[in-house]
Amino acid sequence: MLRASVIVFPGSNCDRDVKVALERTVGANVSMVWHNDASVPASDIIVIPGGFSYGDYLRCGAMAAHSAIMRDVVAKAKAGTPVLGICNGFQIVTEAGLLPGVLMRNESLRFTCRDVHLKVEQTDTVFTNAYSKGQVIKVPIAHAEGNYFTSPETLARLEGEGRIVMRYCDRTGKIDQAANPNGALANIAGICDERRRVVAMMPHPERMYEEALGGSDGRGVFESAVGSLVG
Amino acid sequence: MNAPVTTAPAAITPEIIAQHGLKPDEYQRLLKILGRTPSMTELGIFSVMWSEHCSYKSSRVWLRTLPTSGPQVIQGPGENAGVVDLGDGDCVVFKMESHNHPSYIEPYQGAATGVGGIMRDVFTMGARPVANLNALRFGAPGHEKTRHLVSGVVSGIGGYGNCVGVPTVGGETNFDAGYNNNILVNAMCVGLARTDKIFYSAAKGVGLPVIHVGSKTGRDGIHGATMASAEFDEKSAEKRPTVQVGDPFTEKLLIEACLELMATDMIIAIQDMGAAGLTSSTSEMADKGGVGIELNMDLVPQRETGMTAYEMMLSESQERMLVILKPGREAEAQAIFVKWGLDFAVIGKTTDTGRMIITHKGVVEADIPVATLADSAPLYERPWYPCVSPKVILPEWVAAPGSILGALKTMMGGPELCSRAWIWQQYDHMVMGDTIQRPGGDAAIVRVHGTRKGIAATCDVTPRYVLADPEMGTKQAVVETWRNLCAVGADPLAITDNMNFANPERPEIMGQFVASVKGMSEACRALDYPVVSGNVSLYNETNGVGIPPTPAIGGVGLVPDVSKTADLKLNRTGDLLILVGREQGWLGQSLYQSIIAGKLEGAPPAVDLADEIKAGRLVRALIRQGLVSAVHDCSDGGLLVTVAEMALGGNIGVELFPYEGKLPAHAIWFGEDQGRYVLSVAPERAEDVLERARLLALPARIIGRVGGDCVALKGEPPLQLSDLRTTHEGWFPKFMG
């Protein structure tokens, strides 16, 4: 059974959603880990969920990145424990230095909640191996700061190393500005680290795990974790 | 009786009394109750408790006539929110409340704190908020302030709800010059609780600790309730400092901390500090518990230095709750709030004196019999004029358009009917992972977490109908919510109302209110659809110009099985479209009249409550038996708009059959007759559906077929869906720039 730890900060609000999705899709055994705890229990994966950690009052994810628990998350990630950051979790892992770049305010300057299409470009990560390369999936976004940005050098490196895991596209898979919901550089929706074990994405796979919610394309993220780790 | 010593001005002058919004006769009443001159703190306390906002002094006599009970009702009006049974030990807790004046002065914070306040009303009862809705009325699109207000209100609602992590799943928005200087922001919250874990506000017991939790008390919002009870003028912008500032992060922590506390058995009573802050929460809790209360202002967590008792008692600082605990459990409770990083302070205790005694720095600042605060507010039977019913406009009197589909395109591409996606895409409508039907349909559905059941919710009123005929218009508002719930397959349970009216001291306005309550009563009684909570917002006028009467209705229903619901999106080519309901071609007060004919007049469409019940039952049964693939009720814009919305929703076209009856074609396509639904039905099932309508003596006919990529009507060039979509979805983003 997949053992997952979900980190809960004051202001996290997708923590329960991720827990439920992990339980319902792959029957994971989920521990909720409070931000003041010193360490994450032994886990196959760590998930940093969406929300507004510490109110996002300083800069999204900036305060969470300096919390007690994040020191251990970073240490465990470096030791090889896979980490999935979703939405605010993406912002937190970049602030914590696990992944490069920043998430700036959406180009529209507005919070945007709607379904988007993503092209899964890398399927050798812990969280995307259940998809087929180039597969177009539908998953919602809900953020005001999802506009990924980094230096030209870093972008070239991410491209070169095949670390852009998913990009915003239209329903046919076409990647262009019309399909970019927030102004993200190169339509980047998700990236990973060199070892392909830390993956972060702005869209919310946990909101699309069954047809009743409008689709089940998000399941693959959780099924991937099982595929790469268990039996 | 101890005469309170006070640091305030020695003399209470007529100017000071007027500044507190008290009429001279009300001040005389106060003197009589106290038997002496009040201190400034006491004057402040009475002024907010007697404000229209807190006392409902103009509306109470009429509100009492509303039906508020039923087998499904666990708690009707009078608590923080209404509670309705869902079976299996689940219950739904909901209420709607206005934040009109603050939102006009400071749109972002005004709207944000409106959302925060209504969520506190709901979780105070022990419920986890699971859905927010809002009913918004702005001025004419061309008015200089409208865009600024739309932008601020929408981002304020989103900014608060998104951060707290409660999905905003529905609502409605109108533009009308009647709201140019007085917008309406009505926020509704729906929560879920267990029937054996509902919390009330009665502080029963003596010697119990009174705890102030959440944010600290600051100087913001002092006299907010009084402002909300006054008319506006040019100087209203100067009232900006009375608008509170919201902190959704603290609200999120407060929800989690309170729900954690509620899971224990430590609480005697709990109440949020909303309008009139500490004053109203303490006096209501003490009054309901039949006890006295003593508060020491020195112990109140304060955000600013040098605050007076007057300021603390009247502050409307947000994100605060008052909790009465079982004695001896303070440390245990405190640990929960410390964990969530929130203030926790014992500020007083309940007593057997029946008095509210406020001390500060060793001085008694107020000493008031509790019962007089709660019960002694003036009660007015204000004079009112009966409303005059306008004449019924016959369809033949309204000019036909050059082209039916041309008129449709014009209507669908304007502010009245265009897509509201620009608004609701700024609201997180999926967080919590149980949104089964998203915004944009007849009603939203949120699953009861961990079950197959769902809650459906909607907000509706058509102000132009209410303005023309307040009684019929309000009846229509109630049935529209009822119909919207039926259209998604929900059993309607109960409503909350938000009565937004102008100055009740004018008999014609009071007449609108009286007629509106009458219409609501009649509809709710007939539909077995009681009013379980609500809010009245009066004095919505600026420089003597009132708003159109706007009784916003929030309807809530139960979906027994979320896999058996319907939405408005066409999804099966080859289906037949069946219209159920009576057709009279009612063009009076229709959008067709207003937009195409250019003259809005006559009586609004008549509501037949018996037919509504029959049609609603039929539609719910058809949905549950899987006989329909899409359903949409007919409302604003009439039949053709209904069909076009279904086509756009599913991105499948429709071929409409020629109408062969006696009424003018434009009256058939654009008339706003009530009690109607359009159903998408497989051809082999169509006769069965028609027969079932016939058995109920409900008219029903086939109006078209699903398929293609346009709206097609014989005798006119077809209207491409892509073309219609561009117009329909384009207006809002273009307007907002």
Side-chain angles (χ1 to χ4, degrees):
Chain A
M1 183 191 281
L2 183 79
R3 292 167 307 161
S5 286
V6 174
I7 311 297
V8 185
F9 299 100
S12 294
N13 63 27
C14 301
D15 44 329
R16 187 191 76 176
D17 304 359
V18 166
K19 175 177 191 278
V20 170
L22 278 163
E23 290 169 348
R24 302 254 170 98
T25 55
V26 299
N29 180 4
V30 183
S31 306
M32 306 305 273
V33 183
W34 187 234
H35 71 125
N36 270 342
D37 291 357
S39 66
V40 182
S43 314
D44 299 316
I45 62 166
I46 296 170
V47 183
I48 306 178
F52 293 69
S53 53
Y54 304 94
D56 275 350
Y57 282 147
L58 177 60
R59 188 176 63 235
C60 299
M63 282 155 80
H66 292 93
S67 63
I69 198 66
M70 277 309 288
R71 277 194 289 277
D72 192 50
V73 171
V74 170
K76 288 208 160 66
K78 288 188 172 152
T81 303
V83 175
L84 172 66
I86 301 169
C87 198
N88 194 221
F90 192 167
Q91 295 157 350
I92 293 168
V93 297
T94 57
E95 289 286 343
L98 283 175
L99 290 172
V102 293
L103 283 309
M104 303 191 304
R105 192 130 179 96
N106 293 351
E107 210 167 52
S108 68
L109 303 181
R110 290 190 296 271
F111 186 97
T112 304
C113 177
R114 63 178 169 88
D115 290 344
V116 295
H117 289 91
L118 304 173
K119 186 174 235 172
V120 183
E121 297 193 343
Q122 306 299 331
T123 53
D124 57 352
T125 81
V126 173
F127 297 102
T128 55
N129 59 67
Y131 296 106
S132 52
K133 202 167 173 99
Q135 187 178 342
V136 176
I137 62 172
K138 185 181 78 173
V139 181
I141 53 165
H143 59 246
E145 284 92 6
N147 181 355
Y148 184 81
F149 186 77
T150 191
S151 67
E153 298 75 34
T154 307
L155 178 64
R157 197 170 150 217
L158 289 173
E159 297 268 19
E161 295 173 0
R163 288 167 53 196
I164 298 172
V165 179
M166 44 186 78
R167 296 186 212 249
Y168 301 109
C169 63
D170 69 9
R171 67 178 70 231
T172 68
K174 191 164 90 180
I175 295 165
D176 61 10
Q177 274 314 298
N180 188 335
N182 53 28
L185 190 66
N187 282 41
I188 289 174
I191 57 173
C192 67
D193 70 339
E194 293 88 339
R195 291 190 292 172
R196 318 184 91 68
R197 300 177 78 76
V198 178
V199 174
M201 57 194 290
M202 286 312 297
H204 289 272
E206 79 280 11
R207 295 184 181 189
M208 279 275 188
Y209 69 85
E210 59 174 344
E211 291 304 325
L213 299 174
S216 56
D217 285 356
R219 296 179 72 94
V221 170
F222 309 108
E223 287 164 353
S224 297
V226 177
S228 66
L229 295 166
V230 180
Chain B
M1 187 187 304
N2 298 324
V5 185
T6 170
T7 49
I12 303 255
T13 63
E15 288 72 33
I16 289 177
I17 295 164
Q19 278 164 12
H20 281 76
L22 287 175
K23 301 276 153 68
D25 57 324
E26 291 176 341
Y27 182 68
Q28 290 307 314
R29 187 186 182 93
L30 198 172
L31 289 179
K32 213 160 140 191
I33 286 167
L34 283 181
R36 57 175 165 75
T37 304
S39 70
M40 271 302 282
T41 302
E42 287 170 338
L43 181 70
I45 288 173
F46 273 98
S47 78
V48 291
M49 289 304 288
W50 286 3
S51 68
E52 189 67 56
H53 190 83
C54 291
S55 72
Y56 294 79
K57 58 192 170 188
S58 301
S59 58
R60 250 191 308 167
V61 292
W62 296 103
L63 296 177
R64 282 176 188 155
T65 64
L66 291 168
T68 58
S69 58
Q72 70 273 45
V73 178
I74 293 174
Q75 175 65 53
E79 275 288 339
N80 288 292
V83 184
V84 177
D85 200 353
L86 298 175
D88 315 313
D90 296 313
C91 57
V92 59
V93 179
F94 62 97
K95 189 183 179 183
M96 179 156 41
E97 198 162 72
S98 64
H99 237 213
N100 304 335
H101 288 102
S103 299
Y104 182 75
I105 296 172
E106 170 57 64
Y108 185 97
Q109 291 298 344
T113 52
V115 174
I118 196 64
M119 280 197 277
R120 280 194 299 285
D121 276 333
V122 165
F123 75 76
T124 297
M125 303 289 297
R128 179 174 282 280
V130 296
N132 285 326
L133 295 94
N134 52 76
L136 311 178
R137 322 284 159 191
F138 296 106
H143 187 262
E144 57 181 6
K145 291 199 81 169
T146 300
R147 274 178 30 170
H148 159 73
L149 292 168
V150 172
S151 170
V153 165
V154 171
S155 55
I157 290 172
Y160 206 99
N162 297 347
C163 178
V164 173
V166 173
T168 301
V169 296
E172 60 167 354
T173 303
N174 290 146
F175 295 94
D176 188 297
Y179 305 107
N180 277 355
N181 296 303
N182 195 130
I183 62 170
L184 303 183
V185 174
N186 297 170
M188 174 172 168
C189 179
V190 181
L192 288 168
R194 297 291 294 171
T195 49
D196 58 356
K197 274 290 196 184
I198 300 170
F199 290 84
Y200 297 99
S201 54
K204 284 193 188 116
V206 170
L208 307 174
V210 177
I211 326 276
H212 177 297
V213 298
S215 287
K216 292 180 181 7
T217 293
R219 287 196 170 97
D220 50 335
I222 292 172
H223 276 304
T226 311
M227 173 186 79
S229 309
E231 291 173 32
F232 266 17
D233 54 33
E234 301 78 17
K235 291 184 180 159
S236 293
E238 294 169 10
K239 292 181 177 167
R240 203 150 163 245
T242 62
V243 177
Q244 314 87 324
V245 175
D247 176 2
F249 173 58
T250 298
E251 178 104 339
K252 165 73 175 166
L253 305 181
L254 192 58
I255 292 177
E256 299 304 335
C258 287
L259 291 177
E260 201 171 317
L261 183 70
M262 286 164 168
T264 72
D265 63 346
M266 289 185 254
I267 300 176
I268 299 280
I270 182 164
Q271 164 110 353
D272 76 304
M273 291 192 227
L278 257 178
T279 293
S280 87
S281 54
T282 49
S283 59
E284 282 171 23
M285 292 178 89
D287 180 58
K288 285 181 183 162
V291 296
I293 197 160
E294 277 179 24
L295 300 179
N296 180 353
M297 293 292 107
D298 302 335
L299 303 175
V300 173
Q302 292 159 50
R303 194 184 295 155
E304 298 164 67
T305 53
M307 288 185 71
T308 62
Y310 176 94
E311 289 169 327
M312 284 184 259
M313 288 305 289
L314 268 56
S315 162
E316 291 190 5
S317 290
Q318 299 290 292
E319 294 91 23
R320 298 178 302 156
M321 309 280 281
L322 204 64
V323 186
I324 312 279
L325 281 183
K326 288 183 182 166
R329 307 294 292 273
E330 293 89 332
E332 221 178 314
Q334 185 164 19
I336 293 174
F337 287 86
V338 168
K339 172 188 160 191
W340 289 99
L342 296 168
D343 273 306
F344 177 100
V346 179
I347 62 167
K349 62 174 192 286
T350 58
T351 66
D352 60 2
T353 63
R355 308 188 73 83
M356 176 199 263
I357 296 173
I358 309 296
T359 57
H360 189 217
K361 296 180 177 163
V363 174
V364 175
E365 291 280 354
D367 181 350
I368 304 167
V370 167
T372 65
L373 260 182
D375 293 343
S376 69
L379 194 57
Y380 296 128
E381 282 196 51
R382 298 201 185 274
W384 55 279
Y385 298 149
C387 300
V388 181
S389 297
K391 69 175 181 205
V392 173
I393 302 285
L394 296 181
E396 295 76 20
W397 301 349
V398 183
S403 141
I404 297 276
L405 293 179
L408 172 72
K409 194 176 163 190
T410 303
M411 290 166 66
M412 298 272 299
E416 297 85 358
L417 290 173
C418 72
S419 166
R420 268 50 176 157
W422 186 91
I423 294 179
W424 52 255
Q425 284 183 350
Q426 294 185 57
Y427 305 149
D428 189 337
H429 47 270
M430 294 181 243
V431 64
M432 296 186 89
D434 282 309
T435 304
I436 303 297
Q437 278 203 27
R438 301 180 185 179
D442 284 327
I445 299 177
V446 171
R447 187 166 50 190
V448 176
H449 191 69
T451 75
R452 296 176 71 82
K453 289 188 291 190
I455 294 297
T458 178
C459 285
D460 300 281
V461 63
T462 307
R464 64 180 187 280
Y465 292 172
V466 187
L467 181 62
D469 181 342
E471 184 178 338
M472 187 60 85
T474 306
K475 210 188 279 184
Q476 191 280 337
V478 173
V479 300
E480 188 168 344
T481 64
W482 199 83
R483 216 155 46 220
N484 281 330
L485 296 173
C486 293
V488 298
D491 296 322
L493 289 172
I495 65 164
T496 180
D497 63 9
N498 203 148
M499 308 289 279
N500 307 276
F501 288 76
N503 184 346
E505 294 164 43
R506 292 199 282 140
E508 64 275 23
I509 301 299
M510 204 56 216
Q512 292 174 338
F513 186 85
V514 170
S516 180
V517 169
K518 193 167 169 233
M520 192 187 308
S521 286
E522 197 187 326
C524 290
R525 268 181 233 284
L527 301 171
D528 184 20
Y529 192 39
V531 185
V532 296
S533 59
N535 169 241
V536 178
S537 172
L538 301 174
Y539 298 95
N540 286 291
E541 56 183 74
T542 301
N543 295 327
V545 181
I547 57 156
T550 312
I553 308 295
V556 171
L558 171 66
V559 178
D561 180 347
V562 292
S563 69
K564 290 174 181 159
T565 58
D567 64 26
L568 58 74
K569 299 169 183 166
L570 295 179
N571 56 59
R572 205 161 58 194
T573 295
D575 264 14
L576 292 173
L577 293 177
I578 295 179
L579 170 68
V580 173
R582 215 165 293 281
E583 293 174 277
Q584 303 175 61
W586 196 295
L587 287 172
Q589 296 297 333
S590 66
L591 281 183
Y592 175 84
Q593 217 191 22
S594 146
I595 300 168
I596 305 295
K599 188 171 156 196
L600 195 59
E601 59 178 356
V607 170
D608 181 325
L609 292 165
D611 271 3
E612 290 283 354
I613 293 170
K614 286 193 283 185
R617 280 191 189 142
L618 173 66
V619 168
R620 293 197 310 262
L622 294 173
I623 291 170
R624 286 177 200 170
Q625 289 156 16
L627 290 173
V628 291
S629 64
V631 178
H632 191 13
D633 82 307
C634 294
S635 57
D636 263 354
L639 177 58
L640 192 53
V641 168
T642 307
V643 171
E645 287 172 347
M646 295 174 84
L648 287 173
N651 205 25
I652 307 182
V654 289
E655 177 203 344
L656 295 165
F657 301 153
Y659 167 72
E660 284 161 356
K662 290 180 186 137
L663 291 162
H666 64 290
I668 281 298
W669 292 119
F670 298 115
E672 296 183 4
D673 304 283
Q674 298 296 297
R676 299 186 300 162
Y677 300 81
V678 174
L679 316 174
S680 180
V681 180
E684 64 274 18
R685 299 289 199 169
E687 194 44 49
D688 182 20
V689 170
L690 292 172
E691 176 61 21
R692 290 178 62 174
R694 263 196 295 275
L695 287 173
L696 292 166
L698 279 174
R701 65 183 179 97
I702 296 171
I703 58 164
R705 186 183 290 115
V706 177
D709 58 0
C710 52
V711 179
L713 184 62
K714 201 175 175 187
E716 298 207 11
L719 175 57
Q720 291 293 322
L721 269 192
S722 54
D723 187 13
L724 183 60
R725 184 182 303 286
T726 304
T727 315
H728 181 63
E729 293 176 0
W731 187 88
F732 224 112
K734 193 171 164 221
F735 168 63
M736 293 306 296

